[in-house]
Amino acid sequence: MATFLYRLGRGAFRCRGLVALLWVALLFAAGFGAASAGAPTSGSFSIPGTEAQKAFDLLDERFPGMAADGATARIVIKAPEGAKITDPGPKAEVQKIVTGLKTGPGAAEISSIADPYEAQAVSQDGSTAYISAKYTVNGMELKDDTREALKVSGEGAKAAGLNVQIGGDALMAAPETGSGEIIGIAVAAIVLVITFGSLIAAGLPLLTALIGVGIGVSSITALANVLDLGNTTATLATMIGLAVGIDYALFIVSRYRVELAEGRARDEAAGRAVGTAGSAVVFAGLTVVIALVGLAVVNIPMLTKMGFAAAGTVVIAVLVALTLVPAILAFAGRMVLPAGEKSRLFGKGKPAGAEKKANGGTRWARFVLRRPVMVLLAGVIGLGVIAIPASKLEMGLPDDGAQPVSTTQRQAYDMLSDGFGPGFNGPLMVVVDGDKALADSTVDRIKGLDGVVAVTPPTLNKAGDAAVITVIPKDRPSSTHTEELVHEIRDGSDENVLVTGATAMNIDFSQKMNDALLPYLALVVGLAFLLLMLVFRSILVPLKAALGFLLSVVAALGAVVAVFQWGWLGSVFGVEQTGPIMSMMPIFMVGVVFGLAMDYEVFLVTRMREAYVHGERPGQAVVTGFQYSARVVVAAAVIMIAVFAGFIGASEQMVKMIGFGLAVAVFFDAFVVRMAIVPAVLALLGHKAWWLPKWLDRLLPNVDVEGESLRKHLEKSSDSPKGPDKDRELVDA
């Protein structure tokens, strides 16, 4: 592996023009595909194998068109204080809205619209009414003039003194990240400049990461309609691809500068950097890909597509680091070095090999080695305390009730709740696979249950072999009382009676997530454990890595619960509305954070393993690993935190929550687990940390991440890396 990557990096360095041209061509091709593709969809949502999904499938089969995923809108109108919506003046304004939508711009995309006075959509107190509109396409595919016509439909009524708000997914738009993403990239640039002391070296990881993300996200956009990718898929791929892309390039550039400092020619330094740090990049990338692709075991198509799309972006980031980075290093010449180093490395100042004082990483490692028990206890107890809120985790699916109170969707939700009851925003749909007699008996039974406000008469299909019943609960959709009602209907019903709707979908989705969590953890952690055992030739080091990850991810979930569910420091992070944590959040965080956590494990511990293999004692190997890798790992972690934190400013709650969760998880994992707990555990284990049974050592292939075979290969090679021509290339570059 190391020898192959050495040749790849050296070849990319020497064929710099061709390599750069190929990547630019890929970027333009992906960009052209994205520009030519249709607008992305909102992504269909399904939960295979659940009762709620079976009900939707039955609806699609027996009631064609009823289960179609076209956008919906509810225009909610409330009369002024002291008036009623049925009074002539307000009624005329409401009917103007209906007429305007039927005949105005965008009317061609409306499949149905209901007059509230004919559809009995007026509250009992006469204060509120709502207009239901159904569109032929989903919210992301609506034309701009259609969406604009919906937004302004109530302006006349507002001028007449009525309160008009709009709910539903017809106003759905692509999530906006605001200026946070730009700030994140700016912070990353500052960290890179501080780390490298060179604007060129700092700009190189940013440039290559942006090229990689550009190719990945453009490809996702080009395939969005074909593969039915959700509108958040590209955002999440950007988040992960940008973070790992910068980090992987950072490690290659950092190792390249170390090789130059040892007096090697530039092409040789590039080859060795890719052969050593590049090996760590490959295996770190593999752990991320395994974690993301492993989301397929959950069997939620939307989550699977998100995982595969993000994994594809990570693969591109790895390929960019191995090929495009050495090519651009060839173009950059000596400019990747800070000004002082340019003179010292070439004999015009202090010799490159002169003794230097211990850096921060070395001093920290020595501190941990002196007090390993204290550091270990402080790290474990600290994360354990932060993880406590995770025990109160409540999961759910977002609806308009989770929107900020300033939005029209949230205000429409509240107006419907006030006028028609809290349960009106989450009606249950009961689908009966049978005749009218079964449907009527089902209605009679449901009417006798506590927590039911109203039950509509069954609506039969043309064949008379299926019926739909709407049940209005007494409580809001996310309440435990409504969940209990769903269970009561299901438990006492025939197997041909199925319950669906927002609350039922939420229950089934959360259960699906809970059931999949342990198998997913077993698969991902198991595969990554084997991978790390190959890399480190040890059993205890991968075990320690996995346990440390679990500690950091549970602590991160605790922080997410505290901020987004309990509202602690919510105003600081722009959380206007607290509520249940999205059901997919825990398992998605487990997947992404595990992959990213293993990045730091591989980069940091590989250096320790390299030193140990070359004869250093366990404690000194830990110091050596921190001496060469700590600063770069810290910089990489700060960059990743900055990139993820930039998405906290997103308009969509899911993206905001994931950005916060990943930023906090990386902070805990990099600075507490990898930088404190890991060296403390290795100090306590000593030689045992690197123990591997001989029989297992013989069975496992040697991937040689530390580059021992590469070193031997180069020593035997007749092509000496320090010939006079090479040295001249180094000086004249």
Side-chain angles (χ1 to χ4, degrees):
M1 166 80 67
T3 304
F4 168 76
L5 292 177
Y6 163 79
R7 291 170 178 161
L8 178 65
R10 196 176 184 190
F13 186 96
R14 291 179 170 179
C15 302
R16 63 201 78 171
L18 177 61
V19 172
L21 182 63
L22 286 174
W23 280 108
V24 171
L26 278 175
L27 179 61
F28 275 100
F32 177 79
S36 305
T41 67
S42 58
S44 59
F45 182 77
S46 62
I47 317 174
T50 62
E51 180 172 325
Q53 187 61 45
K54 290 176 183 176
F56 272 117
D57 294 341
L58 184 61
L59 274 175
D60 195 39
E61 177 187 344
R62 306 286 180 85
F63 294 85
M66 182 176 285
D69 60 352
T72 59
R74 272 182 175 175
I75 301 95
V76 187
I77 310 101
K78 187 172 183 179
E81 188 72 28
K84 291 191 174 182
I85 204 70
T86 52
D87 293 343
K91 184 174 181 178
E93 293 296 336
V94 171
Q95 291 177 327
K96 282 181 185 179
I97 297 175
V98 176
T99 303
L101 288 172
K102 283 183 177 179
T103 60
E109 289 190 296
I110 296 179
S111 60
S112 65
I113 186 167
D115 186 311
Y117 303 102
E118 297 175 1
Q120 298 181 338
V122 179
S123 63
Q124 288 186 353
D125 62 4
S127 66
T128 310
Y130 67 89
I131 303 166
S132 293
K134 181 80 173 179
Y135 291 84
T136 57
V137 295
N138 65 54
M140 292 299 296
E141 294 175 318
L142 282 177
K143 294 179 181 177
D144 290 340
D145 58 349
T146 303
R147 189 178 286 109
E148 188 61 28
L150 176 61
K151 288 180 180 178
V152 302
S153 60
E155 293 300 319
K158 287 181 181 179
L162 280 71
N163 185 3
V164 183
Q165 304 296 337
I166 304 171
D169 59 357
L171 294 181
M172 179 185 295
E176 299 176 358
T177 58
S179 60
E181 184 180 352
I182 298 174
I183 295 173
I185 295 176
V187 171
I190 294 170
V191 172
L192 288 169
V193 170
I194 294 172
T195 302
F196 288 132
S198 164
L199 288 175
I200 299 297
L204 194 152
L206 283 174
L207 173 63
T208 55
L210 290 173
I211 290 174
V213 168
I215 294 171
V217 172
S218 296
S219 301
I220 290 170
T221 304
L223 298 172
N225 275 324
V226 177
L227 301 179
D228 190 28
L229 301 178
N231 53 36
T232 59
T233 302
T235 304
L236 296 174
T238 301
M239 184 188 304
I240 295 169
L242 193 60
V244 299
I246 294 174
D247 279 5
Y248 294 166
L250 168 64
F251 283 103
I252 298 290
V253 174
S254 177
R255 188 60 182 251
Y256 171 75
R257 285 165 37 123
V258 170
E259 297 295 336
L260 282 184
E262 294 181 359
R264 292 191 174 89
R266 291 196 301 124
D267 62 337
E268 185 67 20
R272 286 176 180 258
V274 175
T276 51
S279 297
V281 166
V282 169
F283 282 97
L286 272 176
T287 59
V288 181
V289 169
I290 288 172
L292 292 171
V293 172
L295 291 169
V297 303
V298 183
N299 195 27
I300 301 291
M302 182 184 71
L303 198 58
T304 300
K305 292 171 185 177
M306 288 167 57
F308 272 86
T313 308
V314 173
V315 170
I316 292 172
V318 171
L319 295 176
V320 165
L322 299 179
T323 57
L324 183 59
V325 169
I328 295 183
L329 284 172
F331 286 115
R334 289 194 299 141
M335 291 186 289
V336 296
L337 299 169
E341 293 293 325
K342 292 173 189 174
S343 61
R344 290 198 296 271
L345 286 175
F346 305 108
K348 298 178 182 178
K350 187 177 179 180
E355 183 179 351
K356 299 179 181 179
K357 67 176 183 178
N359 59 22
T362 301
R363 293 194 297 272
W364 171 251
R366 289 172 179 167
F367 170 80
V368 175
L369 289 176
R370 288 195 300 269
R371 300 173 180 84
V373 176
M374 182 192 73
V375 172
L376 179 61
L377 290 176
V380 171
I381 293 172
L383 291 181
V385 170
I386 297 172
I388 290 174
S391 63
K392 303 296 183 182
L393 175 68
E394 296 177 8
M395 295 192 295
L397 291 176
D399 58 13
D400 284 346
Q403 297 273 4
V405 293
S406 59
T407 62
T408 184
Q409 293 95 329
R410 172 60 187 277
Q411 292 178 43
Y413 181 97
D414 291 340
M415 286 166 60
L416 284 173
S417 182
D418 294 339
F420 297 87
F424 192 81
N425 282 296
L428 304 178
M429 185 180 291
V430 180
V431 185
V432 180
D433 185 9
D435 57 15
K436 188 175 187 300
L438 178 58
D440 288 339
S441 65
T442 301
V443 169
D444 292 339
R445 190 181 63 80
I446 294 174
K447 283 182 177 179
L449 298 176
D450 292 334
V452 174
V453 171
V455 183
T456 64
T459 301
L460 293 170
N461 65 342
K462 290 182 180 180
D465 60 356
V468 175
I469 303 164
T470 300
V471 180
I472 306 298
K474 183 188 297 182
D475 298 292
R476 68 185 190 278
S478 59
S479 74
T480 55
H481 298 295
T482 306
E483 290 186 13
E484 291 169 359
L485 176 62
V486 172
H487 289 304
E488 281 189 76
I489 297 174
R490 286 177 169 175
D491 294 342
S493 298
D494 184 271
E495 62 179 7
N496 293 323
V497 177
L498 306 172
V499 183
T500 188
T503 303
M505 290 285 283
N506 183 14
I507 293 170
D508 291 348
F509 187 72
S510 298
Q511 188 62 48
K512 186 94 169 178
M513 294 291 102
N514 288 335
D515 292 344
L517 186 57
L518 286 179
Y520 175 69
L521 271 174
L523 173 69
V524 173
V525 175
L527 288 175
F529 181 86
L530 292 175
L531 192 64
L532 293 177
M533 195 159 58
L534 286 176
V535 173
F536 298 127
R537 318 298 294 181
S538 165
I539 291 178
L540 294 179
V541 170
L543 179 62
K544 172 259 314 166
L547 293 177
F549 148 74
L550 290 174
L551 187 59
S552 60
V553 79
V554 174
L557 279 174
V560 170
V561 170
V563 173
F564 289 88
Q565 185 176 309
W566 294 354
W568 294 3
L569 299 177
S571 59
V572 175
F573 298 102
V575 180
E576 295 185 34
Q577 179 63 37
T578 60
I581 304 303
M582 276 169 291
S583 300
M584 71 171 64
M585 182 69 182
I587 202 163
F588 188 82
M589 272 191 64
V590 165
V592 176
V593 174
F594 182 80
L596 299 179
M598 294 307 103
D599 275 6
Y600 300 118
E601 181 74 14
V602 170
F603 288 128
L604 186 62
V605 182
T606 295
R607 268 292 194 167
M608 299 178 191
R609 167 73 185 174
E610 184 177 342
Y612 182 77
V613 168
H614 291 162
E616 292 187 5
R617 296 185 60 79
Q620 183 56 41
V622 171
V623 174
T624 300
F626 270 80
Q627 176 186 350
Y628 288 103
S629 299
R631 179 173 179 174
V632 180
V633 168
V634 167
V638 172
I639 289 169
M640 199 171 280
I641 291 168
V643 172
F644 288 148
F647 288 84
I648 295 175
S651 59
E652 187 165 318
Q653 185 83 341
M654 177 180 174
V655 177
K656 179 191 292 286
M657 192 179 294
I658 290 177
F660 173 83
L662 294 182
V664 170
V666 169
F667 175 81
F668 290 155
D669 195 86
F671 291 102
V672 181
V673 175
R674 308 302 153 191
M675 302 297 290
I677 294 177
V678 165
V681 171
L682 291 177
L684 293 172
L685 290 175
H687 288 284
K688 295 177 184 177
W690 309 106
W691 173 79
L692 187 70
K694 292 183 179 179
W695 63 269
L696 185 57
D697 188 42
R698 289 192 296 268
L699 287 176
L700 295 177
N702 185 11
V703 295
D704 187 33
V705 175
E706 63 271 4
E708 182 65 17
S709 62
L710 173 61
R711 185 179 63 83
K712 293 178 180 178
H713 169 76
L714 293 176
E715 287 176 353
K716 294 178 181 178
S717 174
S718 58
D719 182 17
S720 172
K722 292 188 179 181
D725 293 337
K726 299 294 181 181
D727 284 337
R728 185 171 294 111
E729 179 192 356
L730 178 63
V731 175
D732 296 339

